[in-house]
Amino acid sequence: MEYEPRVRSATVESVAASLFDAPDVPQVVGTHSRTRSGPKSARETMALTKDSVIKLNDGNQIPVLGLGTLAPHNVPKTQVKAAAKAAIEAGYRHIDSAFIYENEVELGEAIAEKIADNTVKRKDIFYTSKLWSTFHSPELVKTCLDKSLKALKLDYIDLYLIHMPIGLKVGDALLPKDDKGKWIYQQFDLRETWQAMEACKDAGLVKSIGVSNFNHRQLELILNKPGLKHKPVCNQVECHVYLNQSKLLEYCKSKGIALVGCCTLGSSRDEKLTDPKSPVLLQDPVLKKIGDKYKKTPAQVAVRYNLQRGIVVLAKSFNPEHIKQNIQVFDFQLTPEDMKALDGLNKNLRYMDLKMDTKNPEYPFNDEF
Ligand SMILES: NC(=O)c1ccc[n+]([C@@H]2O[C@H](COP(=O)([O-])OP(=O)(O)OC[C@H]3O[C@@H](n4cnc5c(N)ncnc54)[C@H](OP(=O)(O)O)[C@@H]3O)[C@@H](O)[C@H]2O)c1
């Protein structure tokens, strides 16, 4: 299977200056102009468009904005299909999912229908899936991937991530818990799991491989693996104005690893995962005040903030108006003062809480970054 690198029509030079400090770093690229120096003027970052991509360390390209598809279990799956189709129509070319979201049949149908009506070709879509934690045993990695490919009815996935560094007990139960409701863990050496991920890339079943919810120590473990064949292209982590991940971002940039930010809008506040008492991100007065200046919503400011930091942004919506709104973020530019004010909102607040054992040695969020 030959991969045709995506050709974009955008003229994008760069986004975050420090993104280009290391020799092998992700770069925002366009078709004809690249630079290794960061944005010096508003004009440069204004050049970000909905077609902008970041070049990954394996040479592939990831669109800078993706549709998130994680929804609480009581949301009907029909909604995810309609949302993916609406997003493709609105210009999104990047869809983020995971085996554990149990929505890949619907996403595969949505992609197939948009290919059938000539809106896109397969090579225009960048689709991400994730290896679930009950499949960390190296011989099970391809099993999980095959299940995703079969559900999607695709012959390759653009980006495949280890969903979490913590392994769960191998078996039929996807959410293995004991009779007290506590997770049952089963840890494998992440380097061996990674080696099985590399084999999936080498077999052409996935174009790029990466990780999610890894801290810098766990990334370092993979990067220092003897015989490493492919570096992780990205680390997907929760990242928004209340958890801006500045240290992890800096670390990832220095290693040529793209940071893909999820929960950009403060998550869906699923009561199983999020403390209902946590502040509602989209009600933040600073987001509102800055948005008013540009006639933009708090959601649009939250998306734009991370885009200007060189982060690949995921925004979930199943609402057609929100889907359109969240991609209308390429016609305004936050000033350095706006960015500073938004940086000031950071309070290391994590919305997603899987209620895992914080004493598990692979629990990723004890480390500072
Ligand atoms: N790797 C991981 O472990 C991990 C963890 C979490 C998430 N993710 C990925 O990242 C994606 C995004 O994160 P997320 O789903 O947690 O949430 P999110 O994108 O931060 O927020 C989604 C919520 O914001 C609402 N919303 C969207 N656009 C809006 C707008 N313009 N105005 C007002 N409200 C708006 C959505 O409601 P409507 O649908 O009604 O618009 C939904 O309730 C996920 O879907 C998933 O693909 C990955």
Side-chain angles (χ1 to χ4, degrees), residues 14 25 27 30 40 43 72 95 118 133 142 175 180 206 217 222 235 260 292 302 305 308 310 345-346 348 362:
S14 63
V25 296
Q27 301 173 60
K40 309 271 185 322
R43 191 187 55 76
I95 297 173
N118 290 322
S133 297
K142 184 168 173 298
L175 306 175
K180 294 198 179 91
V206 300
R217 180 177 49 82
I222 304 290
N235 187 20
V260 178
D292 286 349
Y305 169 67
Q308 284 189 210
L345 297 180
N346 184 51
N348 294 324
E362 292 304 350

Side-chain angles (χ1 to χ4, degrees), residues 147-199:
K147 285 176 189 283
S148 286
L149 288 168
K150 192 168 167 216
L152 290 156
K153 297 202 176 96
L154 293 179
D155 59 2
Y156 72 88
I157 281 170
D158 296 271
L159 175 61
Y160 200 50
L161 309 179
I162 299 182
H163 201 146
M164 274 195 309
I166 299 186
L168 294 172
K169 183 176 169 254
V170 171
D172 291 338
L174 293 180
L175 306 175
K177 291 192 176 173
D178 66 16
D179 47 13
K180 294 198 179 91
K182 296 234 186 306
W183 291 101
I184 309 175
Y185 303 100
Q186 186 174 355
Q187 198 59 42
F188 293 88
D189 185 331
L190 284 169
R191 291 166 295 189
E192 290 175 12
T193 309
W194 183 254
Q195 202 164 316
M197 297 282 286
E198 292 180 322

Side-chain angles (χ1 to χ4, degrees), residues 67-71 96-97 101 130 161 163-164 212-213 236-238 261-269 282 297 299-300 314-319 321-323 325-326 352:
L67 179 77
T69 66
L70 171 64
D96 181 83
S97 186
Y101 299 174
K130 307 182 193 98
L161 309 179
H163 201 146
M164 274 195 309
S212 176
N213 297 307
Q236 184 183 122
V237 291
E238 180 171 339
C262 60
C263 308
T264 314
L265 309 174
S267 87
S268 292
R269 303 184 66 82
L282 294 182
T297 65
Q300 290 169 316
L314 300 177
K316 177 266 171 185
S317 179
F318 289 178
N319 170 321
E321 289 314 310
H322 290 166
I323 290 170
Q325 192 188 106
N326 297 344
M352 298 299 281

